[in-house]
Amino acid sequence: MSFEEDDFSTMYEYIDWTTNTEGAVIDGTEKTCLRTEFGLLRTILIAMEAMVREIEFDKHSVGFDIKSNPRGKVSVTPKAKTETYYRCLSTFFRNYAHAERRVYSPHVQAVVEALDAVGLQPYGFRFGEPGAREPGMGKTHAEIFNEVVAKVSEIVASSAFKERVRVRKRNAARNEAKGLAIEQKVFENKSRQLVLMLHFGYQRKHRSAMTFDEIQKHRKKFFNNCRTNKLLRGIVDYIWKLEEGDESGLHLHVLIFYTADSCRDMYIAQQLGEYWKDVVTDGIGQYWNSNANKIFHEKYGHGVGTGEINWDDDAKREALRENIRYMTKADQFLKMKYGEHSRLFGTSQVEEKKKSGRPRVVRPKGTGDLAGSVQADSFDSDSFGKTGTDARNPDAGQSE
């Protein structure tokens, strides 16, 4: 398989957008704002991932051809994309290779291991002109780069590396299966769903003090309150993922299936965000209502998978499934380190359909209401109180 067949660049772009963007209301309109670190690490990781996969595919495709004439003058000629890889490796080595809390993909981690194996220290060495000779090593920088490439080739050919790739893919596939099972079951249980996408985080002045245990406590409180709160009882099922950015801090990326008694998805998402901010976090929280900016979901070319969705709307459901796939695959490429048994992803438990109704019939498109649809907007905003008496989703708190 060619290294190009795995679209890792799109995956890194998704990670960058979910980690380094923030919703803000500007002139009364919800807009997406880019944080200062947006795009910086992404381009470097894409280059490192591509370099290692190219070496894995053909170990002779990356590096410098180095020749010396009779007078001892060295000529250095880069192969293919080597110049780009060389420049990006220099930035990666200097700024990111030894970041203690980032967990890179197995391919990018192979670069870190290769740099260490060659004996390079980020504070004592910098990649310069390829033909320049490093005094302490007696080698040109092109020769040192070639040694790194050779070590990468050795690492990716090892059984230990292949096992790391297999485990990372297995974990992502397991989470993807959980998420897609949620999507399938909720539409089996009810023909129409309101799909909400929110980011739950913290106000800038509180982010540095927020801990992993604290955000997990807030997450549990939010979903456990589905049992007793009128607003939260509308949550049918959910998928959550914990993320962190250098600037954005700890935050949750949450996909919620909400009862479709209303079609006002932006308003309900806003109410859930306000509940996170005011009740769950005691006023220090912050949220981003992605339903107010659906263009974000079209960024990756798989359509809009949020808002009101009917069971037979193939385009929207496939877009929703693709959103789930992105959520679950992201940790294959980049995540933060919190401890061996720290949970970064979870779902609710879907309640089995209790009884069968009339068989669903897919009506021809454009002939009126979709099969299984209900009258628009029977939603009563006054019903949203702070407490309730019964639980719409008794399994909502059992993701632990």
Side-chain angles (χ1 to χ4, degrees):
M1 181 184 75
S2 168
F3 74 95
E4 295 176 336
E5 292 180 22
D6 190 352
D7 192 8
F8 53 84
S9 61
T10 306
M11 203 65 246
Y12 279 118
E13 184 179 12
Y14 169 82
I15 293 169
D16 201 15
W17 274 93
T18 57
T19 304
N20 296 317
T21 59
E22 190 167 358
V25 177
I26 302 174
D27 297 330
T29 303
E30 183 91 16
K31 295 185 178 180
T32 302
C33 300
L34 307 183
R35 298 188 176 101
T36 55
E37 63 195 55
F38 180 83
L40 298 179
L41 179 58
R42 179 220 313 177
T43 55
I44 300 301
L45 292 182
I46 289 173
M48 293 298 92
E49 191 89 28
M51 181 182 79
V52 176
R53 288 168 185 252
E54 190 163 336
I55 294 169
E56 184 180 25
F57 186 66
D58 179 4
K59 65 181 180 179
H60 301 295
S61 62
V62 178
F64 292 93
D65 287 325
I66 303 172
K67 297 179 181 178
S68 298
N69 63 20
R71 296 181 179 180
K73 184 177 181 179
V74 176
S75 65
V76 174
T77 305
K79 302 176 183 177
K81 300 177 183 178
T82 295
E83 285 183 296
T84 298
Y85 294 151
Y86 184 84
R87 184 174 63 253
C88 290
L89 176 66
S90 176
T91 303
F92 177 72
F93 176 58
R94 188 168 63 250
N95 298 317
Y96 303 112
H98 294 91
E100 293 182 357
R101 296 200 55 220
R102 288 192 179 99
V103 180
Y104 296 118
S105 75
H107 288 82
V108 175
Q109 185 59 33
V111 177
V112 177
E113 294 174 10
L115 290 165
D116 289 342
V118 173
L120 303 181
Q121 300 296 325
Y123 300 109
F125 173 84
R126 290 194 176 187
F127 286 98
E129 285 296 319
R133 189 170 295 276
E134 181 65 20
M137 301 179 74
K139 303 172 185 176
T140 64
H141 287 215
E143 289 175 303
I144 296 170
F145 179 81
N146 284 355
E147 287 186 14
V148 173
V149 170
K151 181 55 67 172
V152 167
S153 178
E154 179 183 324
I155 291 170
V156 298
S158 69
S159 58
F161 172 81
K162 290 179 172 57
E163 177 63 11
R164 287 202 300 269
V165 172
R166 187 192 70 80
V167 169
R168 193 75 70 92
K169 286 185 175 181
R170 182 198 64 195
N171 291 341
R174 182 175 58 204
N175 288 341
E176 179 181 339
K178 289 180 182 178
L180 294 178
I182 290 279
E183 190 274 344
Q184 179 179 355
K185 188 61 68 175
V186 295
F187 283 103
E188 289 179 0
N189 288 344
K190 195 169 183 180
S191 61
R192 190 176 70 145
Q193 297 288 333
L194 215 58
V195 181
L196 314 175
M197 183 76 77
L198 292 115
H199 294 230
F200 290 155
Y202 301 93
Q203 296 170 22
R204 185 178 298 274
K205 62 183 178 181
H206 298 290
R207 290 173 188 169
S208 61
M210 198 53 53
T211 65
F212 178 82
D213 289 340
E214 190 73 11
I215 192 172
Q216 292 287 38
K217 183 182 75 175
H218 287 152
R219 173 184 63 79
K220 294 174 186 178
K221 180 178 179 180
F222 180 88
F223 288 116
N224 283 339
N225 285 1
C226 292
R227 305 164 187 262
T228 56
N229 179 271
K230 291 181 181 179
L231 168 63
L232 270 60
R233 280 209 306 271
I235 296 176
V236 179
D237 283 291
Y238 58 82
I239 302 169
W240 63 268
K241 183 174 181 295
L242 192 145
E243 300 167 339
E244 183 178 4
D246 290 338
E247 190 177 348
S248 60
L250 289 159
H251 57 277
L252 292 167
H253 189 195
V254 184
L255 180 65
I256 291 173
F257 296 91
Y258 199 89
T259 180
D261 294 338
S262 167
C263 61
R264 291 200 281 176
D265 63 302
M266 289 186 290
Y267 177 75
I268 295 173
Q270 180 187 20
Q271 294 301 301
L272 291 172
E274 292 295 322
Y275 186 87
W276 165 268
K277 178 170 70 77
D278 295 334
V279 179
V280 176
T281 68
D282 295 321
I284 68 171
Q286 181 174 298
Y287 69 94
W288 172 15
N289 176 3
S290 293
N291 284 60
N293 189 8
K294 293 184 175 66
I295 294 175
F296 172 83
H297 301 294
E298 293 184 299
K299 173 76 178 175
Y300 308 101
H302 54 253
V304 177
T306 59
E308 184 181 5
I309 301 180
N310 285 278
W311 70 277
D312 60 349
D313 190 330
D314 296 335
K316 282 190 175 182
R317 285 193 63 183
E318 180 52 34
L320 169 59
R321 287 190 287 264
E322 195 68 359
N323 285 336
I324 293 171
R325 293 185 187 105
Y326 272 73
M327 282 181 72
T328 57
K329 288 181 179 179
D331 284 349
Q332 267 187 270
F333 297 90
L334 181 65
K335 62 182 180 179
M336 303 301 285
K337 187 184 298 181
Y338 300 105
E340 186 177 354
H341 300 294
S342 300
R343 298 190 65 225
L344 306 181
F345 175 87
T347 70
S348 57
Q349 296 183 10
V350 183
E351 188 176 357
E352 294 293 330
K353 190 172 182 179
K354 294 180 180 178
K355 63 178 180 179
S356 300
R358 290 180 301 169
R360 293 175 183 170
V361 177
V362 179
R363 297 179 182 178
K365 306 297 181 183
T367 60
D369 292 339
L370 291 173
S373 66
V374 300
Q375 292 296 318
D377 211 357
S378 60
F379 174 71
D380 177 9
S381 61
D382 293 334
S383 67
F384 281 171
K386 294 296 183 185
T387 59
T389 56
D390 62 333
R392 284 288 301 271
N393 185 14
D395 291 328
Q398 297 183 14
S399 63
E400 287 298 306

